[in-house]
Amino acid sequence: MSDVKPLDADGPAAVFEPPLIAQLGGDGKLTRGGYAWSIHQGGRDPFIILVTIYIFMPYVASVLVGDPVRGQATISSWDQIIGWVVVFTAPFLGASIDKLGPRKPWLGLIVGLMVPMIAALWFGRPGGWMTLTMLATLYIGARLLFVYAEVLHNSMLIRAAGLKAAHKASALALSLGNGASVVALAFTAWAFALPGKVHWSWVPAAPLFGLNPATHEPERVVALMAAALLALGVIPLMLLTPDAPRTGVPMLTAWRDGAGELWRMLKTVRRYKDAVVYLAARMFFVDGMNAVLIYAGVYAIGVMKWGPLEMLVYGIMLSVVAVFGGFVARWTDGALGPKTALRIQIAVTAVSLTLMLGIAPDRLFYLWPWDAAAHAPIWSGPVFRTVPDWAFIGIGFVNAIFITGQYASSRTLLTRLTPPEQTGAFFGVYALSGVATLWLAPTLVNLGTRITHTQQGGFAAIIVLLVIGLIGLGFVRGGGRQAA
């Protein structure tokens, strides 16, 4: 790749530099720009954990919509809109981004819009002035802007950390995002959910700041927390992370050239059959994996009848357990090869979801009824006192580990199926395949929920996506264990 221009090159030549993913590696020192880049993800990810998955959207489904089954159908219809818009916009942004020049002004604008939109979700309460349509507009808008911010943020990695330390910044960013989310969940449980429910000396007697559980303020306050963390997390990046030089290319020209770049990229990769088959299969199974994460909270609050406190503790436990997914993937990739590892991860997730559908407060794995009144509680704590609760949690642990591992093994497998000099182009299509069917899982969840009038019916549709992806992997050659 001798035609690669220096990262600090000036003028139009710098605009056409090819992707640099194939050159990542080494043991460079992480600079303050790299740390600042990572910190931004620490402030950004709690929006997904607090608002989308565990606390706020389950509250919307069960309280504002008024019924978890209709709530799951409603939220999945919102996600359909998000998916379609992302499919038709995010790939062009990704392909055009090098031609737009500096990222910070765009990222600052997007975060500046996101912060008040997320914070305004606080006003979504029963009987309040904010209608469900208004709340949906804010939520859809914030989720779309989140995707665009992620594209811009990712494009700054090389300039922020350099080629030899990019992997360190990327790993630190993931750790900070997960860590900040766990801390935020734990603080919410301690400050707002546990007070008044337990008489532990280290827990406040009443929710802090006078929050009123009767108006669901402990659930709604996570929107304010997510907005504040996002605002704080972008400050170091704006101050310390290097930005791309100005290109002088007008926006419309950049988008037009980006469309051409996408087409050239697709023509390049279609010559490699196994990689193309893999990317097609990935479109299905990654969409299914994402759906498990997005709808996990809505499903648990509706089927298991858990409240905000249970969801907080559940989110903390799963976020911690998910860390082990990376270690599991690292071991299985090395011992079995990434393709076999990925097939195991998808198959285990599909089986665990099938088992999960047979669990309810009065039922274990379809066949065994459970009468909580006839059995003593497992412990005297405030949450998760029955066997069905812990069976559901155990399946959640399995999903957290294997879904996290799937993300790692997916990247590794692609590197085994592509020539090194084409890695950048293939990772461009890899990113595109991750959003190409972003609308499909919400559509199937919505359809399954409405047809069966159950949340289980909606989740069963996710298993279909996993199975299609697993079958597709069977047609991929390569990606086995490397010889020692």
Side-chain angles (χ1 to χ4, degrees), residues 278 280-290 292 328 332 338-354 398-399 401-407 409-410 413 462-474 476:
Y278 164 62
R282 180 180 177 268
M283 287 192 299
F284 293 96
F285 71 72
V286 79
D287 204 30
M289 297 284 191
N290 290 338
V292 175
V328 171
T332 52
K339 187 175 81 170
T340 300
L342 194 54
R343 295 174 77 175
I344 291 172
Q345 289 152 1
I346 297 169
V348 169
T349 303
V351 170
S352 68
L353 281 182
T354 303
V398 172
N399 286 338
I401 291 172
F402 283 89
I403 290 176
T404 302
Q406 169 267 148
Y407 291 119
S409 297
S410 292
L413 178 55
I462 297 174
I463 299 173
V464 174
L465 293 175
L466 297 178
V467 171
I468 292 174
L470 184 60
I471 293 172
L473 277 179
V476 176

Side-chain angles (χ1 to χ4, degrees), residues 29 51 115 243 276 280 351 355 452:
K29 182 180 179 181
V51 174
V115 168
D243 204 353
V276 171
V351 170
L355 293 174
T452 65

Side-chain angles (χ1 to χ4, degrees), residues 42 45-50 54-55 174-190 225 229 311-323:
D45 285 1
F47 166 66
I48 297 297
I49 300 296
L50 294 173
Y54 290 116
I55 309 301
L174 291 169
S175 299
L176 290 175
N178 188 69
S181 299
V182 170
V183 170
L185 286 168
F187 175 78
T188 304
W190 172 79
M225 293 172 58
L229 288 170
M311 292 307 302
L312 280 165
V313 178
Y314 184 60
I316 293 169
M317 291 194 298
L318 260 63
S319 297
V320 172
V321 170
V323 174

Side-chain angles (χ1 to χ4, degrees), residues 55-67 71 75 78 132 135:
I55 309 301
F56 191 84
M57 295 314 291
Y59 151 74
V60 170
S62 60
V63 177
L64 296 186
V65 177
D67 170 36
I75 292 172
W78 299 349
L132 195 60
L135 186 144

